[in-house]
Amino acid sequence: MTVTTFRDLRVLIGEDEQMLAMDLAEQLSALGAEVVGSANTVSQLEALAADGLGGANAVVLDIKLLDGPVFSVVPQLEKHGAAVVFCSGYQVQERPEELSHIQWLGKPAQAEDIARALCQAVDARRDYQID
């Protein structure tokens, strides 16, 4: 069984607060992950999904971006092979039941905890062939 490490992560960040996205990108990069991009709207995420996610194998998402909730785009992200983790200041109860398989981290979360959750999500997709 292969275990994903921080260096195996190619991360896309979905965050509406630019400073938080930049800070998280720096911290994940310092841990060895490759940050392939960020999006602050659901529309940007949809466009990135349609274009192959920039090679991302993992996506960390706040649940509400500038143009609304992200829940509708999650199936597209997963269809394109990305493992998803939510990191939000909102309550976990706001997550729809059909997305209960996605790990939830409350803000503020440490970059190492986010990276660890992303590694676990990537491993789960591979081990259980989630589609």
Side-chain angles (χ1 to χ4, degrees), residues 12-15 24 39 45 59-65 70-71 73-74 77 84-88 102-105 107 114 118:
L12 177 62
I13 298 171
E15 171 61 59
L24 180 57
L45 284 173
V59 182
V60 59
L61 295 174
D62 193 350
I63 66 163
K64 292 189 182 170
L65 300 183
V70 299
F71 303 127
V73 75
V74 171
L77 301 173
V84 178
V85 169
F86 292 126
C87 184
S88 183
I102 297 175
Q103 187 170 347
W104 184 283
L105 299 171
K107 282 184 182 176
I114 294 169
L118 290 168

Side-chain angles (χ1 to χ4, degrees), residues 12-28:
L12 177 62
I13 298 171
E15 171 61 59
D16 60 333
E17 295 185 42
Q18 185 177 12
M19 293 302 293
L20 290 178
M22 289 172 39
D23 187 46
L24 180 57
E26 282 183 24
Q27 291 179 39
L28 291 173

Side-chain angles (χ1 to χ4, degrees), residues 24-47:
L24 180 57
E26 282 183 24
Q27 291 179 39
L28 291 173
S29 294
L31 291 170
E34 177 186 354
V35 177
V36 299
S38 66
N40 62 6
T41 66
V42 174
S43 297
Q44 288 176 334
L45 284 173
E46 289 170 341

Side-chain angles (χ1 to χ4, degrees), residues 56-121:
N57 65 350
V59 182
V60 59
L61 295 174
D62 193 350
I63 66 163
K64 292 189 182 170
L65 300 183
L66 294 177
D67 58 351
V70 299
F71 303 127
S72 65
V73 75
V74 171
Q76 287 177 269
L77 301 173
E78 291 181 321
K79 178 182 173 193
H80 289 284
V84 178
V85 169
F86 292 126
C87 184
S88 183
Y90 292 95
Q91 298 296 312
V92 68
Q93 294 83 357
E94 294 193 44
R95 176 181 55 194
E97 180 64 30
E98 64 270 15
L99 300 178
S100 64
H101 65 281
I102 297 175
Q103 187 170 347
W104 184 283
L105 299 171
K107 282 184 182 176
Q110 299 294 316
E112 189 167 323
D113 293 333
I114 294 169
R116 190 173 299 110
L118 290 168
C119 288
Q120 291 169 353

